[in-house]
Amino acid sequence: VQLQASGGGSVQAGGSLRLSCKASGRTSTSYTMGWFRQAPGKEREFVGGIGWTTSRTYYADSVKGRFTVSRDYDKNTGYLQLNNLKPEDSAIYLCAYGMRWSEDPALFDYWGQGTLVTVSS
């Protein structure tokens, strides 16, 4: 499985971005796509996830109401919509593929390369 993330950039506080993650290769029909972020000097943090078949979503409390995870089943592409961004949201954002419904990065098997989001005040 390969994951290709894109869509990062630099925005001012209050702005929005949409990240994409295209999955390719031997993907299952019932996997979970997770989104994580990692700021310099900090541990990898769960942001949100989506069940590929059900489109059920779940989020970290820190982003609920501001971030939205979605997916295009036919394009095998997941999305992370980032709204009302704050400087503390600045990080490398990564998508991941796993077979479990989890917030634990250790339970995801494949990872994209990450895309940088920078939010200025």
Side-chain angles (χ1 to χ4, degrees):
V1 176
Q2 296 82 42
L3 301 174
Q4 181 68 43
S6 61
S10 297
V11 297
Q12 291 191 330
S16 298
L17 286 171
R18 190 174 83 151
L19 309 182
S20 301
C21 180
K22 182 171 179 57
S24 60
R26 300 185 65 178
T27 57
S28 167
T29 57
S30 59
Y31 66 95
T32 295
M33 178 175 283
W35 287 92
F36 295 80
R37 64 186 180 186
Q38 189 162 18
K42 294 188 176 182
E43 292 189 353
R44 192 162 294 184
E45 175 189 20
F46 171 76
V47 174
I50 187 166
W52 208 252
T53 301
T54 65
S55 71
R56 177 186 171 192
T57 57
Y58 59 119
Y59 299 93
D61 288 341
S62 59
V63 306
K64 279 181 182 176
R66 298 191 299 123
F67 293 4
T68 303
V69 179
S70 62
R71 61 98 173 99
D72 185 321
Y73 188 92
D74 292 334
K75 293 182 179 178
N76 222 15
T77 300
Y79 303 97
L80 178 64
Q81 177 69 39
L82 315 173
N83 292 332
N84 191 21
L85 282 161
K86 305 175 181 180
E88 54 263 41
D89 294 319
S90 296
I92 294 174
Y93 283 71
L94 306 105
C95 56
Y97 170 107
M99 298 306 297
R100 300 186 185 187
W101 188 261
S102 176
E103 300 180 9
D104 184 351
L107 297 182
F108 285 80
D109 303 304
Y110 301 94
W111 292 81
Q113 82 286 7
T115 185
L116 179 63
V117 172
T118 303
V119 185
S120 58
S121 57

